[in-house]
Amino acid sequence: MSIDANTVKKIAFLSHLKIEDDKVAATQEEFNKILQWVDQLKEVDTDNVEPLVSVNNEHLRLRQDEVTEGNQAEAVLANAPVKEYGYFVVPKVVE
């Protein structure tokens, strides 16, 4: 599979990337190199290879989930510049 200039422009549009007209050829070349590399990966024989969930075989030690200090709403809100109904009041950021 080969990527042409129109495909580069379409990919740029779909991914909201701005690619200058003088950079389309270089980007096309990079995309084609990536596709060649993926084709090389397809040639690797993985028939007898177990799939991995992680490259690390070590298991993480888990700690007990214990609540150490709960019900501290008053202490948490003590430094709030504005609070209402037990919550922080913040300025509206989305219209």
Side-chain angles (χ1 to χ4, degrees), residues 45-51:
D45 180 21
T46 59
D47 290 339
N48 297 322
V49 178
E50 291 279 328

Side-chain angles (χ1 to χ4, degrees), residues 48-60:
N48 297 322
V49 178
E50 291 279 328
L52 292 175
V53 174
S54 173
V55 294
N56 297 325
N57 287 331
E58 303 203 17
H59 298 284
L60 297 176

Side-chain angles (χ1 to χ4, degrees), residues 27-81:
T27 305
Q28 177 182 345
E29 187 177 326
E30 285 296 316
F31 283 173
N32 284 320
K33 285 180 185 178
I34 292 169
L35 290 176
Q36 287 173 359
W37 182 73
V38 170
D39 286 339
Q40 282 181 334
L41 287 177
K42 288 180 184 177
E43 295 174 6
V44 175
D45 180 21
T46 59
D47 290 339
N48 297 322
V49 178
E50 291 279 328
L52 292 175
V53 174
S54 173
V55 294
N56 297 325
N57 287 331
E58 303 203 17
H59 298 284
L60 297 176
R61 289 180 273 136
L62 302 177
R63 61 172 171 78
Q64 292 295 319
D65 191 14
E66 298 174 1
V67 176
T68 54
E69 293 183 36
N71 298 323
Q72 299 289 324
E74 291 296 324
V76 170
L77 290 171
N79 293 323

Side-chain angles (χ1 to χ4, degrees), residues 77 79-84 87-90:
L77 290 171
N79 293 323
V82 182
K83 56 190 167 201
E84 190 174 299
Y87 295 98
F88 289 92
V89 176
V90 296

